[in-house]
Amino acid sequence: MLCKRIIPCLDIRDGRTVKGINFEQIRDAGDPVELAVFYSSQGADELVFLDITATVEKRKALVELVKKIASAINIPFTVGGGISSVEDVQDLLRSGADKVSVNTAAFNNPSLIKELSDAFGSQCIVLAIDTKKEDDGGWYVYLNGGRVKTSTRAIDWAIRAAELGAGEILLTSMNNDGTKDGFALDITAELSERLSIPVIASGGAGTMKDFEQVFSKGKADAALAASVFHYKEIAIPELKKYLDIHHIPVRS
Amino acid sequence: MKIAVIDYDAGNVQSVMNALQRLGVESFLTDDTGLIREADKVIFPGVGHAAAAMQKLRNKSLDQVIVSLKQPVLGICLGLQLLCRHSEEGNTGCLGIFDTAVRRFELEGLKVPQVGWNNIFGYASPLFDTVKENGFVYCVHSYYAEVCSQTVATTEYGIPYSAALQKDNFYAVQFHPEKSGSIGEMILQNFLSLV
């Protein structure tokens, strides 16, 4: 049976992981390669690296980092942050990334999704959507790291992106992100039920139960989290045991 | 040991070469028919579109080379599908080593592509020596090879399909051993150990 995926997310700035992570098992918590190896050994199903520098000169550094990660780990990983062209994607995939995630550039130029999926296949194109629930009850797409509101609903953009060739949707709820009060179950379930491609839920993970809920009620195919893993509030082996007991299929 | 990885511009071959390197084996990427024939083992990877990939193989005359190889050959993902008789993806004839057809997943409520970790079972090949039954492997695909007499491992995604096929010196896996953690490494190591 196809398993639900647990995906730690690492923010990268200038080639280093950003959040203050402290594990006894690793020597240098700022080293993305060492952290990647650690999470992979803990049973993470995939990893996501989000480059928050994303300037032109730093992109070369990112490519070098991707090469190091690719040679060190034996699970799939996605790289995102500031990707806006076929050339960007080609560099990252050639360096060993399995998938790339695109966000603002794809919204501003939807044909980018088609270009990328035609060139590299849908399976490596993840469309990231940052979304926020407004007072009218609708979930709207936000751009530029959540700073710019649009009048497009997340569900409409997700359906269009899937038609254009996106292979997966990474859905981050800005209402839930950072709250540790659980994932946004309603919009996650709506997307997952309406789309024929997998949905990765992000934003709000605080407890193991939150993960169970996002899979059972939110119908997510994968769940992404950062701080609960980085700050050791939840360990992946225990999380997987918990999910297994609650009848969520996970890789053991 | 000379390990040739067939170069036909199909997808992320670097991951396969990295995985071999972690096992202490160097490989080389080539479309040179002579070098491929001389290699001790040949890996036929690939991610992409079946009809387009078949055209690339024909353009480089690699189609004829691959079917005539006598050393162990390992097809991975699209490589497995291209070793079958026919693929619905672009309605193309394939290399015909395995007597089975490649079809698209089309079942109500099933997400396509299948993305993630699924289990393999029913092993009947040295590729799976020491691999525990129901081991988890990483899959990314929209098309699958039907179960046939050459199926040597099975996975279920809505229906059972060929997770692995074997005929004589030809081995193939639908999943990505290079991305399947320690089980994937075991399967690659078993392939490298074949004589």
Side-chain angles (χ1 to χ4, degrees):
Chain A
M1 184 186 257
L2 185 67
C3 295
K4 301 292 188 180
R5 289 170 280 155
I6 302 295
I7 307 177
C9 177
L10 287 77
D11 287 348
I12 307 291
R13 183 189 288 148
D14 302 336
R16 305 274 295 167
T17 47
V18 173
K19 284 174 180 155
I21 306 161
N22 178 26
F23 290 101
E24 293 85 0
Q25 296 93 327
I26 58 173
R27 283 177 288 120
D28 179 0
D31 177 7
V33 179
E34 206 163 341
L35 257 183
V37 169
F38 172 74
Y39 280 128
S40 147
S41 73
Q42 288 277 297
D45 297 307
E46 276 182 52
L47 297 172
V48 168
F49 296 87
L50 207 53
D51 185 32
I52 56 176
T53 12
T55 56
V56 175
E57 61 272 24
K58 297 291 162 47
R59 184 147 303 283
K60 288 193 183 112
L62 180 65
V63 165
E64 287 311 306
L65 176 63
V66 166
K67 285 183 186 165
K68 283 185 203 157
I69 294 164
S71 63
I73 63 171
N74 55 17
I75 59 170
F77 68 99
T78 302
V79 178
I83 292 171
S84 60
S85 70
V86 171
E87 291 71 37
D88 288 345
V89 173
Q90 179 141 321
D91 286 347
L92 293 167
L93 294 179
R94 279 199 180 154
S95 305
D98 298 283
K99 312 178 200 180
V100 293
S101 78
V102 289
N103 189 333
T104 302
F107 186 89
N108 291 333
N109 172 24
S111 63
L112 178 65
I113 297 175
K114 181 154 171 43
E115 280 172 43
L116 293 176
S117 66
D118 284 348
F120 309 109
S122 289
Q123 80 292 333
C124 60
I125 309 303
V126 179
L127 177 75
I129 301 178
D130 295 329
T131 186
K132 191 170 168 190
K133 191 176 194 172
E134 298 290 342
D135 294 339
D136 66 359
W139 288 89
Y140 291 88
V141 177
Y142 276 68
L143 303 177
N144 297 88
R147 292 188 296 276
V148 177
K149 180 187 186 303
T150 74
S151 56
T152 301
R153 287 181 186 244
I155 184 72
D156 296 332
W157 173 222
I159 289 171
R160 171 119 191 265
E163 286 166 0
L164 287 166
E168 287 182 90
I169 303 286
L170 168 54
L171 181 73
T172 302
S173 160
M174 293 164 56
N175 303 68
N176 300 60
D177 204 21
T179 64
K180 299 200 174 178
D181 282 339
F183 294 91
L185 302 178
D186 55 344
I187 184 67
T188 304
E190 186 182 358
L191 251 68
S192 192
E193 282 169 351
R194 294 273 305 273
L195 298 174
S196 64
I197 57 173
V199 173
I200 304 164
S202 157
T207 65
M208 296 203 281
K209 186 167 186 210
D210 295 337
F211 285 89
E212 187 273 320
Q213 295 275 301
V214 81
F215 292 131
S216 61
K217 296 208 172 110
K219 317 272 188 227
D221 299 281
L224 177 142
S227 51
V228 287
F229 297 133
H230 299 330
Y231 298 118
K232 290 191 288 188
E233 290 158 16
I234 295 178
I236 294 171
E238 278 73 55
L239 174 58
K240 288 204 165 176
K241 264 181 227 158
Y242 177 90
L243 292 172
D244 183 49
I245 289 167
H246 290 81
H247 312 293
I248 303 294
V250 286
R251 175 174 72 115
S252 49
Chain B
M1 187 159 47
K2 284 191 289 185
I3 309 285
V5 178
I6 297 178
D7 181 10
Y8 63 112
D9 309 323
N12 188 0
V13 291
Q14 192 56 46
S15 305
V16 177
M17 299 175 75
N18 286 340
L20 294 171
Q21 196 167 39
R22 284 193 294 270
L23 293 169
V25 178
E26 291 299 325
S27 56
F28 58 97
L29 186 64
T30 183
D31 60 0
D32 183 303
T33 55
L35 288 175
I36 293 170
R37 282 188 206 283
E38 283 168 22
D40 297 302
K41 294 201 166 71
V42 176
I43 294 188
F44 179 31
V47 174
H49 189 273
M54 276 307 297
Q55 194 52 51
K56 281 182 185 162
L57 290 177
R58 287 189 204 106
N59 292 348
K60 294 185 170 196
S61 303
L62 289 168
D63 53 335
Q64 292 160 32
V65 177
I66 292 168
V67 296
S68 69
L69 293 173
K70 300 292 177 225
Q71 64 273 56
V73 177
L74 178 64
I76 297 176
C77 196
L78 182 62
L80 172 142
Q81 300 182 0
L82 297 180
L83 289 168
C84 295
R85 194 179 58 228
H86 179 270
S87 174
E88 281 186 356
E89 189 177 23
N91 188 26
T92 181
C94 297
L95 298 171
I97 296 291
F98 302 121
D99 189 21
T100 189
V102 175
R103 304 199 182 284
R104 190 176 161 86
F105 284 118
E106 267 175 26
L107 284 168
E108 187 65 28
L110 201 63
K111 295 203 175 180
V112 180
Q114 170 176 226
V115 180
W117 297 79
N118 204 333
N119 56 310
I120 51 175
F121 54 89
Y123 307 148
S125 163
L127 275 188
F128 302 103
D129 282 354
T130 70
V131 177
K132 66 176 182 188
E133 188 76 0
N134 285 316
F136 285 102
V137 291
Y138 187 75
C139 309
V140 185
H141 57 122
S142 301
Y143 293 78
Y144 67 94
E146 295 183 314
V147 170
C148 67
S149 62
Q150 293 150 339
T151 300
V152 293
T154 305
T155 293
E156 249 178 71
Y157 188 57
I159 51 160
Y161 67 86
S162 295
L165 291 157
Q166 187 193 331
K167 185 193 174 194
D168 305 327
N169 57 316
F170 288 93
Y171 301 76
V173 291
Q174 177 60 61
F175 52 87
H176 288 273
E178 75 279 12
K179 288 287 161 182
S180 294
S182 55
I183 288 181
E185 282 177 1
M186 215 180 275
I187 292 165
L188 286 174
Q189 184 60 60
N190 287 340
F191 175 73
L192 295 173
S193 304
L194 292 170
V195 281

